Amino acid sequence: MSHSNEKFQRTKPEKKTTPLSRQQSHKQTLTIKDVAKLLHHRGRIDDEQYELILKRGKAQAARLNSHLPSSQAKKDIYLAELASPAQVITSFKFEIPATHKKLTEDAITELIAQAAGIEYIKIDPLKLELDAVTDQIPRAFALKNLVVPIEEKEGFITIAVADPFNVRPIDDLQHALGIQIRRILASRSDILKLLEEFFGFRASVQAAQIEMGSGSELSNLEQLFRMRSRDEIESSDKHIISAVEFLLKYAFDQRASDIHIEPKRDKSQIRFRVDGVLHNIHTVPMNLHPAIVSRLKLLSRLDVAEKRRPQDGRIKTEHLGKDIELRVSTLPVAFGEKVVTRIFDPEILMQKLDRIGFYDREYQLYSDFIRKPNGIILVTGPTGSGKTTTLYSSLKTIASPEINIVTVEDPIEMVMEDFNQVGVQPAINVTFSTVLRNILRQDPDVLMIGEIRDQETASNAVQAALTGHLVLSTLHTNDAPSSITRLLDIGVPSFLIKSTVNGIVAQRLVRTICHECKYERLLTDEEIAYLGLVKKEYTVCEGKGCDHCRGTGYKGRTGIFEILEMTDALKAAITENTDMDEIYAIARKDGMKSLRELAIHKLLEGHTSFSEIVSVTG
């Protein structure tokens, strides 16, 4: 909960003795006369202004405090209800004689802080945390004494006060909390605004929670269900429910990305996809298949009775203390409904960009792409090549309170609070193109479009980039250079490609060798020739297969990224009749490394195997 000093405009106190510090040694609060003397002594007001304050100060204060009931006892009045001496003097609207600038409440408060030997702070509510302000002291105490916690750091609580000499409440608070308190001075207006906004918001939230009950009603996309412990499952007589929960837990434990439940003629086949490869897991009697499917449909709030049409839903749950989202898809096939449940683990989907497989050159280029204020970044590759991880990780990297990120997805892969996510719904004509027509009215800084599929979507993406937005999207092409041809085929003019596209990324995922059963071998002459390498000895690695990797020799995956930078030479070569061979040659000359070359680097570094790079890159 700590905050750096740069978050606030702070003024260090003066150490010399002043008329105010001498006079206030025996007082508990500041008076209008005290502040007027200080301002006069420091030359902030002249003789005439000083006399006017002494003459009319009390009447002016009474006018500012006229909202208080006349019969209200003095002991019952909160400081938050009373105008401060600084506010009373500010209401005269004086100009400082030497500068002719307005004498503001902030200027008076800063001068009081200097004279009283206390630090001054100009509070910025946008740079404070709600909990830091509201958790330390009760709202009534804060209003009664006009104090507000600012930060907690290194065993101290920093509290902003409106009166540097009203120390008794701070002493009481320090004794009650058992923690050291450091006082700083802020204007009454700043403290009161903070108390109203922060404590008012917290009170409203708490009242809403009481009114709605203790249960949490999540949005359509996030219905949470609690998975029971293994003991609870085993003691249950609801066997289908138990079976489904065991299945989900097992999938989580095995790092599966997908669960396939497939009806056959006389059985139901259950398979997990782990590291991109499907594995047979269970076979269950066919008569149990409809019940298992119904349970999953119920959890994902699909229509249990509808079995003739494909449906899509989602489940939100938790495992080992972390939230996990499941996307459920049903499809009618020959022997019933097939269900595929995709598992989105936030630790896999949201990673640091420097940990997903980039080499230094590619990482630097891509980092530059996503930090540009506008333009289009395209990520290409087949289904399952990690495009979603790259896009989500990119958005997470650049996300901040100052940036409005809007995504348009089909469907929303994982619900993230940092983004404003829109799910495509073709049934009600909510498509990429229809959403993008209106999305610029939402004042986005960054747009993520799930896929550019047609000319209208491409045109909207280009228009967004031309109007100062950063756009990230995907295409289905085999490599980065061919994405330019794809955009031309869709109908994007060549001059718009040149002016909007920042860069293109083609990517693949390759399985990494299991460290538990890893061994070295030499590439054969045929393998060297196949890879086009200079003929010499090359040591590579393979996995024997063990219990740790389920006998596959692989555990985990890493990415390979072909980065096409839109250089001046490349832009000059892009025309309506672009020659792809020329584009590829220019890109290679500019330093682009192909997917095959990058995969070979992974092979020679011992990360993956020969058979894996052949399988992935062809």
Side-chain angles (χ1 to χ4, degrees):
M1 199 184 296
S2 63
H3 302 273
S4 62
N5 288 348
E6 288 75 13
K7 288 190 175 183
F8 311 108
Q9 300 174 20
R10 300 191 181 194
T11 303
K12 296 295 183 181
E14 290 186 356
K15 294 184 178 180
K16 63 183 181 180
T17 303
T18 66
L20 180 62
S21 59
R22 288 197 302 268
Q23 293 175 25
Q24 286 303 127
S25 60
H26 63 284
K27 292 188 177 182
Q28 291 186 345
T29 58
L30 279 174
T31 66
I32 298 171
K33 184 177 180 180
D34 294 330
V35 178
K37 284 184 177 180
L38 173 65
L39 294 172
H40 188 222
H41 177 75
R42 293 295 184 88
R44 302 301 195 273
I45 56 175
D46 57 26
D47 295 341
E48 183 180 348
Q49 293 168 332
Y50 176 63
E51 292 298 332
L52 184 61
I53 294 172
L54 295 182
K55 182 178 179 181
R56 297 178 50 191
K58 289 184 178 180
Q60 189 78 342
R63 185 179 66 82
L64 293 177
N65 295 324
S66 60
H67 61 285
L68 295 175
S70 57
S71 60
Q72 187 169 358
K74 184 175 181 180
K75 64 179 180 179
D76 295 329
I77 296 177
Y78 284 7
L79 283 180
E81 298 177 292
L82 293 170
S84 68
Q87 285 182 308
V88 173
I89 294 174
T90 302
S91 68
F92 283 97
K93 298 181 179 179
F94 290 145
E95 288 186 352
I96 301 173
T99 63
H100 298 290
K101 292 181 180 180
K102 290 287 185 184
L103 185 62
T104 64
E105 183 186 0
D106 287 332
I108 296 172
T109 306
E110 185 173 2
L111 192 63
I112 292 171
Q114 293 174 357
I118 186 173
E119 188 175 333
Y120 166 78
I121 181 175
K122 175 63 179 172
I123 299 175
D124 184 353
L126 296 178
K127 295 177 180 178
L128 296 178
E129 294 179 5
L130 176 65
D131 291 344
V133 175
T134 59
D135 283 356
Q136 299 294 343
I137 62 176
R139 179 173 183 265
F141 182 90
L143 289 170
K144 184 173 182 64
N145 300 288
L146 209 55
V147 297
V148 61
I150 297 297
E151 63 182 345
E152 183 179 355
K153 184 178 181 182
E154 298 175 356
F156 284 82
I157 295 178
T158 300
I159 290 185
V161 300
D163 187 336
F165 300 105
N166 186 23
V167 297
R168 183 175 297 171
I170 300 300
D171 291 340
D172 294 342
L173 189 62
Q174 187 165 270
H175 178 74
L177 295 178
I179 192 171
Q180 291 294 312
I181 292 178
R182 187 171 70 94
R183 293 180 307 129
I184 53 179
L185 194 67
S187 69
R188 175 188 181 273
S189 296
D190 279 358
I191 292 177
L192 192 57
K193 183 178 180 181
L194 196 63
L195 290 174
E196 289 173 348
E197 291 180 353
F198 278 51
F199 276 104
F201 176 76
R202 172 56 64 87
S204 298
V205 169
Q206 290 175 340
Q209 287 176 324
I210 293 171
E211 183 176 321
M212 296 178 66
S214 59
S216 61
E217 181 66 28
L218 298 175
S219 69
N220 293 4
L221 294 172
E222 294 188 291
Q223 179 164 333
L224 179 70
F225 84 97
R226 185 186 71 86
M227 295 184 67
R228 296 166 294 164
S229 68
R230 296 186 186 276
D231 291 340
E232 289 178 307
I233 295 173
E234 288 168 357
S235 65
S236 173
D237 59 353
K238 298 180 180 179
H239 302 299
I240 292 298
I241 295 176
S242 299
V244 169
E245 293 195 17
F246 270 124
L247 184 66
L248 293 177
K249 284 182 178 291
Y250 183 51
F252 300 156
D253 291 339
Q254 300 304 309
R255 303 178 299 106
S257 61
D258 300 86
I259 305 170
H260 290 241
I261 303 175
E262 304 168 327
K264 305 299 181 184
R265 188 180 300 276
D266 56 1
K267 62 183 179 182
S268 179
Q269 181 70 54
I270 299 175
R271 298 193 287 172
F272 290 172
R273 187 179 294 278
V274 181
D275 294 336
V277 178
L278 280 170
H279 300 266
N280 288 330
I281 302 299
H282 292 303
T283 299
V284 299
M286 186 58 190
N287 63 344
L288 294 182
H289 178 83
I292 293 174
V293 172
S294 294
R295 177 59 181 165
L296 286 169
K297 290 170 75 173
L298 186 65
L299 289 174
S300 54
R301 288 185 296 177
L302 300 179
D303 186 349
V304 177
E306 179 57 75
K307 300 179 181 180
R308 300 169 298 170
R309 297 176 182 174
Q311 297 186 71
D312 290 294
R314 55 197 319 130
I315 304 168
K316 185 181 179 70
T317 185
E318 63 88 24
H319 180 62
L320 300 178
K322 63 182 179 182
D323 289 344
I324 292 180
E325 291 202 30
L326 312 174
R327 198 176 74 208
V328 179
S329 174
T330 68
L331 179 71
V333 294
F335 298 107
E337 284 184 284
K338 177 182 175 180
V339 178
V340 175
T341 302
R342 173 154 291 186
I343 301 168
F344 291 103
D345 185 338
E347 291 185 0
I348 296 174
L349 196 61
M350 307 289 281
Q351 300 184 50
K352 291 188 176 180
L353 285 177
D354 58 357
R355 295 182 181 177
I356 62 176
F358 280 106
Y359 283 111
D360 288 343
R361 175 189 175 274
E362 285 70 29
Y363 175 72
Q364 189 58 54
L365 281 173
Y366 188 71
S367 295
D368 292 342
F369 293 165
I370 64 174
R371 285 176 171 82
K372 289 185 178 180
N374 57 274
I376 297 175
I377 302 166
L378 296 174
V379 180
T380 76
T383 301
S385 60
K387 300 188 297 296
T388 300
T389 295
T390 300
L391 288 174
Y392 270 59
S393 299
S394 302
L395 294 178
K396 186 69 174 177
T397 298
I398 62 177
S400 74
E402 294 81 25
I403 294 178
N404 177 22
I405 297 176
V406 181
T407 74
V408 187
E409 306 172 61
D410 182 20
I412 293 174
E413 303 282 9
M414 172 171 268
V415 178
M416 297 297 301
E417 292 183 359
D418 293 338
F419 318 146
N420 299 292
Q421 297 168 283
V422 181
V424 169
Q425 301 179 69
I428 57 173
N429 199 33
V430 179
T431 64
F432 283 114
S433 56
T434 57
V435 172
L436 289 172
R437 285 179 209 150
N438 302 299
I439 205 140
L440 296 186
R441 297 173 190 166
Q442 290 291 313
D443 187 30
D445 297 295
V446 179
L447 283 173
M448 194 271 273
I449 304 170
E451 182 183 352
I452 294 179
R453 298 175 177 174
D454 51 41
Q455 195 273 336
E456 188 174 4
T457 304
S459 297
N460 286 318
V462 167
Q463 186 62 36
L466 288 173
T467 53
H469 303 83
L470 184 66
V471 180
L472 290 83
S473 189
T474 68
L475 276 178
H476 284 292
T477 60
N478 289 327
D479 56 27
S482 61
S483 297
I484 294 174
T485 304
R486 175 65 177 148
L487 290 175
L488 291 169
D489 290 342
I490 289 174
V492 181
S494 59
F495 72 92
L496 289 179
I497 296 175
K498 298 180 196 179
S499 59
T500 59
V501 177
N502 293 342
I504 302 171
V505 181
Q507 71 175 80
R508 299 290 189 276
L509 290 176
V510 294
R511 289 183 292 171
T512 52
I513 298 169
C514 174
H515 288 286
E516 299 297 320
C517 58
K518 191 174 187 178
Y519 70 95
E520 293 182 349
R521 72 170 181 88
L522 295 176
L523 282 179
T524 66
D525 291 342
E526 286 133 357
E527 290 170 337
I528 292 171
Y530 184 84
L531 296 176
L533 299 174
V534 176
K535 191 170 183 179
K536 64 175 187 178
E537 284 192 352
Y538 294 95
T539 301
V540 296
C541 295
E542 301 277 356
K544 291 180 181 178
C546 64
D547 293 340
H548 196 64
C549 60
R550 304 178 196 85
T552 63
Y554 300 98
K555 189 174 175 113
R557 290 188 290 178
T558 187
I560 51 175
F561 302 89
E562 179 182 276
I563 306 286
L564 177 68
E565 183 183 13
M566 295 296 286
T567 62
D568 292 339
L570 187 61
K571 290 179 181 178
I574 298 175
T575 65
E576 301 301 327
N577 300 308
T578 292
D579 184 321
M580 278 312 302
D581 291 336
E582 181 185 2
I583 292 293
Y584 187 80
I586 292 172
R588 297 280 293 156
K589 187 176 180 181
D590 288 338
M592 185 191 80
K593 294 181 179 178
S594 69
L595 287 168
R596 171 59 71 87
E597 287 177 304
L598 294 163
I600 291 173
H601 278 297
K602 298 281 186 185
L603 169 67
L604 299 180
E605 289 175 350
H607 296 306
T608 193
S609 68
F610 174 81
S611 60
E612 181 67 5
I613 68 167
V614 171
S615 172
V616 171
T617 64

